[in-house]
Amino acid sequence: MRARTRVTKGPGNKQAGLAMVFKLLEAAEQRWRAVNGPHLVALVRAGARFEKGELIERPKETPEEDINEVAA
């Protein structure tokens, strides 16, 4: 049996590669889901955390702030 060491594993040429990528993207588009909370995208980009769809408030940074607020 002959070893097939020179067989290409890619598309072969640029045009075939572009056609393959186009077909893969076309197939993926059918399964993509639209963003149903566009008003929340800015929060996510800013680093906000969500758990089970609810915004999680950040805990206070240091407990010393609480002590200063009580003393005032």
Side-chain angles (χ1 to χ4, degrees):
M1 178 177 249
R2 182 176 169 200
R4 299 180 69 194
T5 58
R6 300 193 70 175
V7 175
T8 181
K9 292 187 169 55
N13 61 31
K14 187 175 180 178
Q15 287 180 335
L18 288 174
M20 184 185 302
V21 169
F22 177 77
K23 285 298 197 179
L24 287 170
L25 286 174
E26 229 177 18
E29 277 181 339
Q30 296 172 358
R31 294 186 305 273
W32 286 349
R33 215 178 128 201
V35 175
N36 57 2
H39 59 284
L40 301 174
V41 173
L43 290 172
V44 172
R45 290 189 70 191
R49 291 188 50 224
F50 289 84
E51 189 171 303
K52 296 182 181 176
E54 298 293 323
L55 178 63
I56 299 175
E57 296 293 327
R58 292 184 182 178
K60 294 193 180 208
E61 297 295 326
T62 59
E64 296 169 351
E65 292 175 1
D66 292 337
I67 296 170
N68 293 337
E69 290 175 7
V70 173

